[in-house]
């Protein structure tokens, strides 16, 4: 079912949203929307969102043993977003 959604977030909340929802462990629909939003955010404020994305971009995965195990692939993908 198609849904239209309107959200209001400041930059801090957007960074938190991207950290939670860009993760491979997030549901694919919300992850696709988060990545699309991140692309838009990077075009508007590249300096602010240059390191935005899942937490495993900058450190180890907080999921522990439930990690997707695709650190290198995830890092390449998010560092290539523009």
């Amino acid at each position: 079912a198609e849904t239209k959604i309107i959200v209001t977030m400041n930059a801090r909340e957007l960074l938190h949203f991207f950290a939670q929802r860009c993760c491979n462990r997030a549901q694919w629909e919300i992850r696709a929307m988060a990545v699309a939003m991140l692309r838009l955010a990077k075009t508007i404020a590249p300096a602010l969102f240059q390191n935005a994305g899942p937490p495993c971009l900058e450190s180890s995965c907080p999921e522990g043993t439930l990690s997707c195990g695709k650190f290198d692939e995830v890092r390449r993908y998010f560092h290539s977003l523009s």
Side-chain angles (χ1 to χ4, degrees):
E2 184 177 324
T3 299
K4 298 195 185 299
I5 185 170
I6 297 173
V7 296
T8 303
M9 293 185 216
N10 61 22
R12 183 185 309 188
E13 185 55 35
L14 270 172
L15 289 169
H16 176 72
F17 175 78
F18 295 144
Q20 298 297 308
R21 303 301 174 213
C22 288
C23 177
N24 275 350
R25 303 247 325 134
Q27 187 179 18
W28 72 268
E29 293 97 343
I30 194 75
R31 187 172 62 245
M33 185 180 76
V35 170
M37 288 172 61
L38 178 56
R39 282 193 173 126
L40 291 172
K42 282 187 171 200
T43 61
I44 294 168
L48 187 60
F49 295 104
Q50 71 182 5
N51 295 323
C56 65
L57 292 180
E58 302 300 321
S59 62
S60 62
C61 178
E63 297 289 335
T65 59
L66 298 176
S67 168
C68 71
K70 300 178 182 179
F71 306 115
D72 294 331
E73 180 183 330
V74 169
R75 288 176 181 150
R76 274 194 307 273
Y77 177 76
F78 280 95
H79 288 304
S80 71
L81 282 183
S82 53

